[in-house]
Amino acid sequence: MRVSEVLSIRVPRDLKKRMMALRDVVDWRREIIAFLEERVRYYERLVALREAEELLRGHPVLPRGMVVRMVREDRDSG
């Protein structure tokens, strides 16, 4: 069993009424948790991409074809 926490939010009254009218059709708890999990994964990936971009900014850019030449040189020397 996972430990859980309470998250309380305010929603517009009209939205809550509409949600309550659909409570026999929609499991709002499950829907909201699934949405939050998806958004957290999205923002975690976004942060990881930004960190990777920042790391790459510190590395020099190699001239076009340099990697191919280096691999060929390494292959030919062995």
Side-chain angles (χ1 to χ4, degrees):
M1 184 172 137
R2 295 187 336 186
V3 177
S4 63
E5 297 281 336
V6 173
L7 174 65
S8 178
I9 62 167
R10 290 186 177 274
V11 296
R13 182 173 286 147
D14 180 58
L15 176 59
K16 181 159 184 204
K17 285 180 184 178
R18 291 167 49 207
M19 289 171 67
M20 290 301 102
L22 295 168
R23 70 177 166 232
D24 294 334
V25 178
V26 180
D27 182 346
W28 290 111
R29 181 182 178 280
R30 184 175 291 163
E31 288 284 326
I32 293 167
I33 289 171
F35 172 79
L36 291 173
E37 287 175 343
E38 185 276 325
R39 295 303 286 180
V40 166
R41 282 191 300 274
Y42 170 81
Y43 285 110
E44 287 172 339
R45 288 190 305 265
L46 187 64
V47 167
L49 282 172
R50 287 182 178 166
E51 289 172 355
E53 286 175 346
E54 189 64 33
L55 284 173
L56 289 173
R57 270 193 209 108
H59 290 275
V61 177
L62 295 175
R64 188 171 181 87
M66 174 65 93
V67 173
V68 172
R69 278 195 302 274
M70 292 171 71
V71 170
R72 283 187 181 142
E73 287 174 10
D74 188 53
R75 236 186 278 149
D76 293 342
S77 69

